[in-house]
């Protein structure tokens, strides 16, 4: 079954890239947090969150839309690239000006404005990269994205080490991010030219209009998705100051490490599901069911482990000056499990042209999240922001599952049985970790053995899983 091997190959490429990126990110997170201190780290955290919100205007959902459409109609790749690339360059210049003006009108300090504008330039490169990555994902050739990601992480780590070695300060930290992403962008652009053609820029207004209209649901989804993942940091900065923001962001960075597998899986499976919808609808349902099962199989033991060992994990990464981030880590880790379920559901709905439904779900969740943050942050600070994030993910789970059950791709009872089995395995692991009281490094192998035994006892690995394994090893 060539599609299984293709998925595995692409997942392997991106997994290697993400592992290297995670290692580098782990290192630069420690280095930056300790070098800047909590308050200056809060400025960087604000800049990243602010540009993430503004950056939605830069993408407008175009990257996701183009990935789906090129996966279905590969001959249109040059037309999409030639028009959208130039359009996004024009939009980028406008975005930079608006960001500076908005920060000035909001009365932020000069240092915060300068750092945020530098991160805005980085964001422009990131937005162009998401477009280029989408093209390669549509052709199921993600090795270019993987190699580019490795280059980006390596140069960023080197830049940060140089910055701190010469004590160049917070502005140089921001510049290191921007330079690294510019190198990533140049590599991807060169790869596109070699693989497809040299860009012939054009502005077909009718075609661009069609793309923008088709992208609106994806853009709105990204906007409201980013709101409830970034607005909490912006609100913390405004309501409680840089110190609380730095603590919360440090917790968030730990959680983000564990979402990397889903980022990998999303990049691989979305174009595949889109192609299945056009060519093999019979495989869509099983693809979704297996996605939920495998994503939960991976994240449940991680979530349990992080919950019980949050304090030593925080101390290991940041030192004890960030010890107050322990509780947010214990709360936020549960967002990852729901994120995996919601992500698989969103991929399915987007692939079957139900992107408007996904948009509706994330609008509701974002408004719910903002309202909850307004209530909880003044009373509970960063802990309240963490609770609001988890509650929003639970709401998304309820809504996406509801809408999937209204389609012809609703899962069978077998998926629920598999989820229950995996939850039982997680509970067994939690009971063991609660009673053994060993160090973090000893808990990892013990927890792995306990979880594997639990999978065997509950028969969580079935004949379908064994068949997929045999296909991957060529038997």
């Amino acid at each position: 079954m060539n599609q299984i091997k293709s998925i595995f190959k692409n997942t392997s490429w991106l997994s290697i890239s993400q592992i290297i990126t995670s290692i580098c990110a782990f290192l630069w997170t420690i280095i930056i947090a300790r070098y800047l201190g909590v308050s200056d780290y809060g400025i960087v955290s604000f800049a990243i969150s602010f540009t993430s919100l503004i950056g939605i205007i830069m993408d407008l959902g175009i990257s996701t839309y183009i990935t789906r459409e090129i996966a279905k109609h590969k001959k249109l790749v040059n037309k999409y690239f030639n028009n959208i690339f130039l359009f996004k360059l024009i939009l980028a210049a406008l975005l930079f000006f608006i960001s500076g003006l908005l920060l000035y009108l909001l009365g932020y300090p000069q240092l915060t404005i300068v750092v945020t504008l530098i991160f805005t330039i980085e964001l422009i490169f990131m937005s162009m990269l998401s477009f280029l990555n989408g093209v390669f994902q549509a052709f199921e050739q993600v090795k270019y994205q993987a190699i580019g990601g490795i280059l980006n992480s390596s140069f960023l780590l080197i830049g940060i080490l140089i910055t701190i070695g010469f004590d160049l300060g917070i502005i140089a930290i921001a510049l290191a991010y921007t330079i690294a992403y510019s190198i990533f962008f140049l590599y991807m652009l060169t790869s596109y030219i070699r693989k497809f053609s040299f860009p012939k820029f054009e502005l077909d207004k009718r075609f661009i209009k069609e793309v923008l209209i088709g992208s609106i649901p994806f853009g709105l989804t990204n906007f409201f998705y980013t709101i409830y993942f970034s607005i909490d940091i912006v609100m913390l900065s405004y309501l409680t100051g840089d110190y609380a923001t730095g603590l919360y962001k440090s917790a968030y960075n730990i959680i983000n490490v564990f979402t990397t597998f889903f980022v990998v899986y999303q990049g691989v499976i979305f174009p595949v599901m889109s192609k299945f919808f056009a060519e093999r609808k019979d495989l869509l349902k099983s693809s979704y069911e297996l996605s939920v099962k495998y994503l939960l199989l991976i994240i449940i033991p991680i979530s349990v482990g992080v919950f019980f060992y949050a304090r030593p994990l925080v101390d290991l990464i940041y030192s004890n000056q960030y010890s107050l981030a322990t509780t947010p880590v214990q709360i936020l880790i549960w967002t990852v499990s729901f994120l995996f379920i919601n992500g698989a559901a969103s991929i399915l709905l987007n692939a079957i042209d139900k992107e408007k439904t996904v948009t509706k779900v994330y609008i509701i969740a974002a408004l719910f999240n903002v309202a909850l943050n307004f209530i909880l942050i003044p009373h509970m600070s960063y802990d309240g922001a963490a609770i609001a994030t988890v509650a929003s993910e639970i709401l998304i789970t309820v809504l996406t599952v509801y809408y999937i059950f209204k389609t012809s791709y609703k899962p069978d009872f077998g998926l629920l049985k598999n989820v229950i089995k995996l939850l039982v395995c997680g509970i067994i692991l939690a009971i063991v970790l609660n009673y053994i009281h060993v160090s973090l490094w000893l808990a990892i192998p013990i927890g792995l053995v306990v979880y594997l035994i639990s999978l065997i006892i509950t028969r969580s690995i079935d004949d379908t899983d064994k068949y997929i394994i045999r296909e991957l090893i060529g038997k």
Side-chain angles (χ1 to χ4, degrees), residues 34 310-323 326:
R34 294 189 178 189
R311 177 60 186 272
L313 193 61
V314 170
D315 289 345
L316 173 68
I317 297 173
Y318 296 111
S319 79
N320 57 13
Q321 69 172 317
Y322 284 85
S323 60
T326 298

Side-chain angles (χ1 to χ4, degrees), residues 287-323:
S287 297
Y288 167 67
E289 292 175 347
L290 289 173
S291 294
V292 173
K293 178 179 178 179
Y294 295 152
L295 289 169
L296 285 179
L297 186 147
I298 291 170
I299 197 56
I300 284 176
I302 293 175
S303 298
V304 173
V306 171
F307 178 81
F308 281 98
Y309 286 88
R311 177 60 186 272
L313 193 61
V314 170
D315 289 345
L316 173 68
I317 297 173
Y318 296 111
S319 79
N320 57 13
Q321 69 172 317
Y322 284 85
S323 60

Side-chain angles (χ1 to χ4, degrees), residues 245-320:
T245 306
L247 286 172
Y248 185 73
K249 180 60 177 176
S250 65
Y252 225 107
N253 286 340
I254 294 175
I255 303 307
N256 281 339
V257 172
F258 302 110
T259 65
T260 53
F261 181 80
F262 176 72
V263 174
V264 169
Y265 197 75
Q266 182 181 39
V268 172
I269 204 67
F270 177 56
V272 173
M273 281 193 175
S274 298
K275 185 174 69 174
F276 282 167
F277 182 60
E279 302 172 3
R280 293 289 306 275
K281 288 183 171 63
D282 56 308
L283 294 178
L284 257 181
K285 182 179 176 181
S286 59
S287 297
Y288 167 67
E289 292 175 347
L290 289 173
S291 294
V292 173
K293 178 179 178 179
Y294 295 152
L295 289 169
L296 285 179
L297 186 147
I298 291 170
I299 197 56
I300 284 176
I302 293 175
S303 298
V304 173
V306 171
F307 178 81
F308 281 98
Y309 286 88
R311 177 60 186 272
L313 193 61
V314 170
D315 289 345
L316 173 68
I317 297 173
Y318 296 111
S319 79
N320 57 13

Side-chain angles (χ1 to χ4, degrees), residues 377-438:
I377 287 177
H379 301 286
M380 302 177 66
S381 188
Y382 39 80
D383 290 342
I387 292 172
T389 301
V390 176
S392 298
E393 285 292 340
I394 294 173
L395 176 62
I396 292 172
T397 300
V398 173
L399 293 175
T400 52
V401 170
Y402 168 75
Y403 284 115
I404 285 177
F405 268 82
K406 294 179 68 175
T407 72
S408 57
Y409 303 100
K410 61 182 180 181
D412 295 328
F413 182 70
L415 177 60
L416 178 60
K417 288 175 60 179
N418 285 326
V419 171
I420 292 174
K421 288 180 181 179
L422 293 174
L423 289 175
V424 170
C425 293
I427 292 171
I428 294 172
L429 177 60
I431 293 172
V432 172
L433 292 180
N434 185 53
Y435 281 100
I436 59 175
H437 299 295
V438 296

